[in-house]
Amino acid sequence: MSDPSALTSEALAAIGKAQTEQELERIEVEYLGRKGGRVSKLLEGIGKLGPEQKASLGKAVNEAKRAIEAALAAMRAELEASRLADLAETEAIDITFPGPPLGRGHIHVLTQVRRQIETVLESLGYQVELGPEVETEWYNFEALNLTVGHPARENWDSFYFNSQLLLRAHTSPVQIRAMQRIKEPPIYIITPGRCYRRDAPEATRLPYFSQVEGLAVDKGLTVGDMKGTLLYMIQSLYGRDRKVRVRPSYFPFTEPSFEFDVTCGICGGMGCKSCRHKGWLEVGGCGMVHPQVLRNGGIDPAQWNGYAWGFGIERMAMLKHDVDDIRLFYESDLRFLEQF
Amino acid sequence: MRISYEWLGDFLDLDGVTPKDAAEVLTRLGIEVESLTMVDLSQIVIGKVLEQKQHATSRTALWIHQVDLGDHVQQIIAGAPNAVPGSLVPVALPGTTVPNGKLVRDTYIAGEKASGMLCSADELLLGEDHAGILILDRGKPGDALTTVIPSQAIMEAEITSNRPDEMGHLGIARELAAGLDRPLKRDFMPAFTGTADPPGRDLVKVTIDDPDLSSRYIGGVIKGVRVGPSPEWMQRRLRACGVRPINNIVDITNYVLLEYAQPLHAFDLAKLNGPAIHVRRAKANEKLLCLDGEERRLTPDMLVIADALRPVAIAGVIGGEETAVTGATVDVLLEAANFSGPSVRQTSRALGLRTEASARFERALPPELALAGARRAASLISELAGGSVHREWADVYPRPQEPVRVNLRPALIDDVLGTHVPLEEAESILKRLNFHVKVMADGEWDILPPVFRLDVTIPEDLVEEVGRVYGYDRVPPTLPGRRRDSWTPSAPSLDRRLDSMREVLAGSGYTETWNPALVSGRNLEALRIAAHAMRVSNPLSDDMDTLRTSVLPSLIDVVALNRDRGRLDVRVYEIAAAFLARVGDKNTQPEEPLRLAAVATAGLTAEDGRVAFYRLKSVLDGCVAALAAPACTYQRASAQLFHPGRCAAVVMEGRQLGYIGELHPTVAAAARIDGRVVAFEIDVEPVLAASRIPRALPLPRFPGVERDLAVVVEETVAAGALLATIKESAGDLLELVRAFDEYRGAQVPEGHKSVAFTLTFRSSERTLTDAEVDRVMSEIKVALEKRHRARFRE
Ligand SMILES: [Zn+2]
């Protein structure tokens, strides 16, 4: 039978020499194991002792246990601290090695730009209206003052299915349908959607494209309100240093009619090669809604007036992302689509 | 239209107004100047050719000229032979740059000294004429060329279709004068009339069959003209505007067209049978040899000018060769007419011939313009070609132009523009544009637009006139808004709702595409999905002649294109409408169901295809789940484009949304795609309609118990059927069951498969014991045995 204090010294010495957690575990089992641990073994034959001796041995053994446990805990803390202190060397990785490809898909750049436009105009209280792509002659042309034989109609050369049905040349039919449906102004809507014109494909235009048109019908709207709306939209999309100008033009469905331009983003309006030295880039058309068009939508022009505008989403995306060929949007080459 | 700055100077004082200023003002007025070409002639001098001989040794034909330059004579070599001795020619001396950009140097050509260059109109940017050296009609050797030809500035401008009056320099000058607030030096209606006897109307008989097609025809008779070249200034201006000079009479008609926008035509009076003019429809099988040398076959929907026997011109488009003015012409019939715009456009399109004349008539010219143009041309002919103009021309005018009056409440100007325009300024602007303004007792303005402005008919048109001259830059931008007592609540747009699907697709590696809706009808037929296709009656080409009935073929093409460009793994989708004609009714709009379609490539083996199919199914389930719509079920189906053994109908709440499957090998092969392709296409609107707001469930308070179950059944038993049996027989404690593996091979009998499931059991009231779960598991096994003759692997 050994003496508790001698056993304790022996255990503490072993703990002091231990270098790893595994060694500490082995020491723990050797001395403190529930069955067969050397500390427990000190109590073998305690039954033969008298009560006083019993009590003193029990106390000594408990002290030995606590001392060994405390030494183990201290040593463990020391080992852990030194392990953590060495992490920089032991577990260093090459952080310059690139991550594996994510394989994420991309949302089409035209969807992204359309979303930005919608978000900006929704913030002004406009709501999205949609309509059919195959339209009737009346909604596409007649209701917009583009009567048969009108000289302006050649700008909206269209694909026909028969004398009555055609692919819409603009989203303006949605404006008429919206006025007819909503009936009671105020009306503040935007009409994004696909359109079709019979133009041979080239770098700047395609027989299919996408528009966002806007329409406001209310009391006492002005050319100034139209300018402000366009300016708010352009500055929200391209930055507050951009300017907008409206230039008189002609559309049968607005009076007065305009084209609207935005200052060139490259030269800031001074004139450069990319804006053909004009300082301005053409964006779209706009104007005050023609009274007859309001009437065709079931709105009384004596009580209400309105303004409308329209532009190509592709054009906006080209300006924003420096895309120089409109065909890229519809060619579906992943090398292009994955850039956005 | 091309505008010559020099020409505008005939009509208003341009002192202090540079060509760039003029272009800026015109653009702000609504005449968009797209380009401005400056031609600086100040470095070019006038020379007189003294001698000309052909170069003896050069292999190409060259001529050596001795040219008098005032103080000395210089030897100049040219490639054209027309600078004969005595000619006055423009000379570019060594060291100068010719307007077309060429730098002239002292040099030797095949041994002969060449000091300078004789210039063509083309090189001086005075026209597209390559005919040879430009021959001047006056000038002093040694003087600057600008003493006879001013430096030029040519603007290319876009004229809107409502303003045919701006298709001439006078109309442009009128706008510029109004914009600059300077007086216009020319009245619209020239005072000139002929004086010779007898009255012109007695010399030629004019009849118009259909006043709807021709509302006016003026035929002026001018006798004893001397046909020859027109003066250099006229030729120069014509060239500047892209018109080739021919002879003085023809040049004058073109010149007046470019000035007044009124097309004119001159006939050789001696060659007109009758002499009579009959404005009528062409008869079947009539033909006309036109001025451009082409014989054209006419149809009865074309309007012609005929003499007593035959057509001599196609109304408003082109004249006939046989009655044209030539060097031998002595007497001329000058035509100034008005033809209906739609009729001229139709004829011009049918013939595939667009001329300066047809471009103007198409836009509906005012008939009053005809007289102004005729008078201007007659006065120029009498001045430049001699001849006596007869008085009282034939002027058949069955539909006189009605004056239009417009009432304007002047406050409307401020109301529409959103800024204050002083009344005096508004009135002054209208007057500058030749509107008559009468202020009435009630303050309204009674306004008479000038006769050449048929486009002004409503008060808003007048607001536009004031606004564009006042300047829209002066209208401050504002945002509309007022206190409202009613509104429409906002709702997320369709696109915003679809964004949650786009997020799932992007996260799963699918890239969105936008593909043309117009596709090849032949391809749809080959794929046998053309049943409800809508065919375009006037397609641009046969690969874009039909609206797609399905989005899938576009995506298959996208796969092929990207494979061609070196991409192996292609995962793409599109959200777009398909177009389905409604059965039995050609005149109603088609259905335009919004579709979501996706395709993904896989490897070459059947197993690759199988794995890809299940992956795609997860993507589709994820899209549906993202909208919080009820889960789809899948039913074995067969459909066009799909593999017969690997296709399912996608069903939600009993409604079929579309199909998912592997593409039929022949479809992939037809698109030249190697390997397997999986795809789906569904209707999106029912999914959106079924979309619900997700409701939060309490989190489980007690642990769940998971058990795996491997079920061996015959090949024909579907996993879906096993799942249904499991759910049915398990009772309330089964929280979730998922199939995770399908196995065939050594440990499974021939003709059988093993399907592995993970089942999760949970009670919301207590912790389940193993015994409870065992009981449920054995009930499930019994049901599977009974219904599917299943056995179980440990
Ligand atoms: Zn620029």
Side-chain angles (χ1 to χ4, degrees), chain B residues 357-406:
Chain B
S358 73
R360 286 167 176 77
F361 279 124
E362 278 180 10
R363 297 179 170 194
L365 293 172
E368 284 298 309
L369 203 55
L371 185 62
R375 285 185 174 182
R376 171 69 173 148
S379 83
L380 280 172
I381 291 174
S382 100
E383 182 188 332
L384 301 174
S388 46
V389 181
H390 285 252
R391 64 189 174 90
E392 289 174 50
W393 298 332
D395 183 357
V396 180
Y397 195 5
R399 292 274 164 86
Q401 184 180 325
E402 297 281 346
V404 177
R405 308 192 83 86
V406 185

Side-chain angles (χ1 to χ4, degrees), chain B residues 701-702 733 762-768:
Chain B
R701 289 170 52 215
F702 299 97
L733 296 182
R762 195 193 303 273
S763 160
S764 58
E765 284 147 16
R766 62 187 187 282
T767 301
L768 293 178

Side-chain angles (χ1 to χ4, degrees), chain B residues 304-504:
Chain B
V304 296
I305 313 303
D307 64 10
L309 298 176
R310 53 173 182 165
V312 292
I314 302 172
V317 182
I318 194 169
E321 177 69 28
E322 288 172 36
T323 52
V325 170
T326 65
T329 301
V330 180
D331 300 335
V332 167
L333 179 76
L334 177 68
E335 166 195 296
N338 190 278
F339 304 114
S340 121
S343 158
V344 170
R345 184 181 316 115
Q346 196 187 5
T347 303
S348 154
R349 284 210 169 182
L351 295 172
L353 178 65
R354 199 149 193 271
T355 59
E356 294 282 351
S358 73
R360 286 167 176 77
F361 279 124
E362 278 180 10
R363 297 179 170 194
L365 293 172
E368 284 298 309
L369 203 55
L371 185 62
R375 285 185 174 182
R376 171 69 173 148
S379 83
L380 280 172
I381 291 174
S382 100
E383 182 188 332
L384 301 174
S388 46
V389 181
H390 285 252
R391 64 189 174 90
E392 289 174 50
W393 298 332
D395 183 357
V396 180
Y397 195 5
R399 292 274 164 86
Q401 184 180 325
E402 297 281 346
V404 177
R405 308 192 83 86
V406 185
N407 266 24
L408 176 69
R409 183 175 56 82
L412 184 70
I413 297 170
D414 289 3
D415 288 353
V416 170
L417 296 185
T419 194
H420 177 60
V421 181
L423 286 188
E424 319 77 72
E425 190 168 357
E427 190 179 344
S428 149
I429 287 168
L430 289 171
K431 285 179 171 165
R432 275 186 252 158
L433 291 167
N434 292 32
F435 289 74
H436 288 273
V437 181
K438 201 171 100 194
V439 180
M440 297 189 297
D442 59 1
E444 294 217 346
W445 291 2
D446 174 28
I447 293 173
L448 181 67
V451 291
F452 45 82
R453 291 296 302 275
L454 294 180
D455 59 304
V456 177
T457 55
I458 59 170
E460 284 78 1
D461 291 326
L462 294 165
V463 173
E464 171 159 54
E465 294 303 306
V466 173
R468 68 197 181 87
V469 177
Y470 176 78
Y472 288 112
D473 291 348
R474 295 164 73 187
V475 176
T478 48
L479 282 179
R482 60 189 168 88
R483 184 166 294 121
R484 298 229 175 92
D485 58 7
S486 69
W487 53 82
T488 313
S490 84
S493 68
L494 178 69
D495 245 309
R496 286 300 70 68
R497 300 185 65 197
L498 294 174
D499 279 345
S500 37
M501 282 192 173
R502 290 194 178 94
E503 285 160 10
V504 170

